[in-house]
Amino acid sequence: MVEEGKPAPDFELTSDAGERVKLSSLRGKPLVLYFYPKDDTPGCTTQACGIRDDYSEFSDRGAVVLGVSPDDEVSHVRFKEKYSLPFALLADPEHEVAEEYGVWKERNLYGKKSMGIERSTFVIDADGNVSKVMRRVKPDTHAADVLAALT
């Protein structure tokens, strides 16, 4: 389980740009790593657009923002282009990173059980340590909540 004050588990995933992104290569800046269930769904769109709308504040704080979902790179490209998202989206189709971060959970929707992402965010400091764990975040207040955690 990922804990505040401990090193963030390293990983390498493919971005919407087709590049391999390794978490440990981003040290030196604060990082916002947010996990979301699915591209172009209402809650996920609200969450992503909230970050987009406040992106200058994230940039002013030197933060790198990475969104992670089980969707593939092609889906990420469409989602990113449709909403002009200024940050990278990473594909975790086998949900290995989601499992490592403890956000791959059983969900119950209208009595139907399935596995999926628990909408969660991890704020990682410039040294690669987790400074804030935010679980079951609300899409409409997510950006403001994360910005408050970055101060």
Side-chain angles (χ1 to χ4, degrees), residues 1-126:
M1 190 60 100
V2 177
E3 296 178 39
E4 291 179 7
K6 304 276 182 160
D10 199 15
F11 63 82
E12 189 171 337
L13 291 174
T14 303
S15 75
D16 55 88
E19 300 167 341
R20 297 293 290 173
V21 175
K22 188 171 177 72
L23 184 69
S24 59
S25 71
L26 299 171
R27 288 208 178 117
K29 293 183 171 188
L31 182 100
V32 174
L33 181 66
Y34 85 95
F35 290 86
Y36 65 99
K38 188 160 179 53
D39 289 340
D40 211 6
T41 55
C44 297
T45 299
T46 297
Q47 184 177 18
C49 290
I51 294 171
R52 176 202 65 200
D53 294 348
D54 289 339
Y55 194 70
S56 63
E57 291 186 54
F58 286 93
S59 293
D60 289 349
R61 295 173 194 203
V64 173
V65 177
L66 298 174
V68 181
S69 85
D71 297 299
D72 63 20
E73 296 91 4
V74 173
S75 176
H76 284 339
V77 167
R78 283 194 302 265
F79 185 45
K80 187 171 178 172
E81 288 177 353
K82 183 174 181 179
Y83 295 101
S84 301
L85 304 177
F87 49 88
L89 301 176
L90 305 181
D92 187 20
E94 302 299 319
H95 44 82
E96 292 170 7
V97 176
E99 287 184 41
E100 189 171 14
Y101 275 76
V103 301
W104 188 253
K105 305 268 187 171
E106 183 176 78
R107 302 184 312 177
N108 188 346
L109 186 62
Y110 306 115
K112 182 181 177 204
K113 292 185 179 190
S114 64
M115 295 299 288
I117 296 286
E118 175 184 74
R119 194 181 306 275
S120 301
T121 298
F122 300 86
V123 178
I124 301 167
D125 68 21

